[in-house]
Amino acid sequence: MTTYRKAIRNKVTSSLKALKWLAPFSLVNILFHSLLFILCVSIVIIFSLVLFTDISRTRDYLIVLGFLAAALTLTYNVRRHLSEDYFKEAREQLQKAFEILNVYDAEGRLSNDRLRWLTAARTLLIAERIGRKIMMSSHKEINIEDRQFWRMKFHGIVKNFSEDFYAEEPVHMIHHMADVRSPISEASLVIIHEFIDWDESYADPLKRELFSDEKLDLLDRHYPHMVRVLRTVRRIRAENYAGVEAQNR
């Protein structure tokens, strides 16, 4: 029975992946794609009817097409407005999560207040939940870039803190007395560090770019130290490559 259930679950998962372009599966989004499909099919059918039947009925066919087009346009506008609302709210929640955590004590250290870390983690989860409801591809792309921006912002403040930053004693993360500082919850650490981790599915727009020799000559006038480092790197690479080639002979 367990194997059968796993097989069914795998089939459902595969089907959902195939329909990923339909996500999110909201009423408005499904209605929009349904109307789009019906309109495309209707155009083909009506075009065939006009060619092979009485042309005097063309007016009736055009009325049907006009109705479908109007319904599709209305649904598209509703879909776009909803998607924009989700997109803006997701962006606001990401910023709010960072502002909640980006607080420092009198000595300039990041706050280790348990409630603050929990609230920041919850806010990140809210941003992700709302982000999954975005329907327009343009809004989805911008949301991905927003996440990358705030990921780097979080990365800039979440460091390898000392052990007592998280709890006065490790055992306090299991249980502690009321007169002890509340430790940072591991649940909040999981959410925040998962958000900070590099997203492997992200298509990095920054390719492996290298200056040409001509460009280095031009840059040498204003940035000689940078150029000296880059030329040294090129020399080391060439030497390493020559050494590898010599070993392979």
Side-chain angles (χ1 to χ4, degrees), residues 32-172:
F32 170 78
H33 286 97
S34 299
L35 286 173
L36 182 61
F37 175 76
I38 293 172
L39 180 61
C40 293
V41 172
S42 299
I43 290 175
V44 174
I45 294 175
I46 291 174
F47 182 74
S48 302
L49 290 175
V50 169
L51 288 179
F52 301 107
T53 59
D54 186 4
I55 197 172
S56 62
R57 310 243 356 230
T58 302
R59 180 172 175 272
D60 296 334
Y61 300 150
L62 292 177
I63 290 175
V64 173
L65 281 179
F67 172 79
L68 288 174
L72 181 64
T73 301
L74 177 62
T75 308
Y76 174 85
N77 290 333
V78 172
R79 179 173 176 262
R80 182 172 184 83
H81 285 307
L82 281 175
S83 180
E84 186 175 6
D85 289 342
Y86 289 136
F87 159 69
K88 289 180 177 179
E89 185 61 26
R91 169 180 282 181
E92 184 176 331
Q93 292 297 325
L94 287 172
Q95 179 178 353
K96 188 182 297 183
F98 179 78
E99 291 174 349
I100 291 171
L101 195 62
N102 190 32
V103 174
Y104 297 82
D105 60 21
E107 298 179 5
R109 296 175 301 187
L110 188 70
S111 172
N112 57 0
D113 179 70
R114 176 187 176 91
L115 182 58
R116 186 172 294 280
W117 280 72
L118 281 170
T119 306
R122 291 189 182 106
T123 308
L124 283 176
L125 290 176
I126 292 172
E128 290 185 7
R129 175 168 54 82
I130 295 175
R132 287 193 293 268
K133 295 182 179 181
I134 297 174
M135 290 170 273
M136 303 295 292
S137 58
S138 58
H139 292 156
K140 288 181 180 179
E141 291 179 9
I142 300 174
N143 177 253
I144 290 173
E145 299 303 329
D146 280 347
R147 287 174 56 82
Q148 286 300 116
F149 172 79
W150 289 109
R151 177 174 286 116
M152 292 302 103
K153 296 280 283 185
F154 270 90
H155 194 274
I157 64 173
V158 177
K159 305 294 185 181
N160 182 29
F161 303 111
S162 59
E163 294 180 7
D164 61 354
F165 177 87
Y166 305 98
E168 293 181 356
E169 296 291 340
V171 69
H172 293 167

Side-chain angles (χ1 to χ4, degrees), residues 200-214:
E200 296 297 335
S201 63
Y202 176 68
D204 192 350
L206 186 62
K207 308 296 182 181
R208 186 176 180 272
E209 304 287 352
L210 294 175
F211 286 119
S212 65
D213 292 336
E214 294 78 9

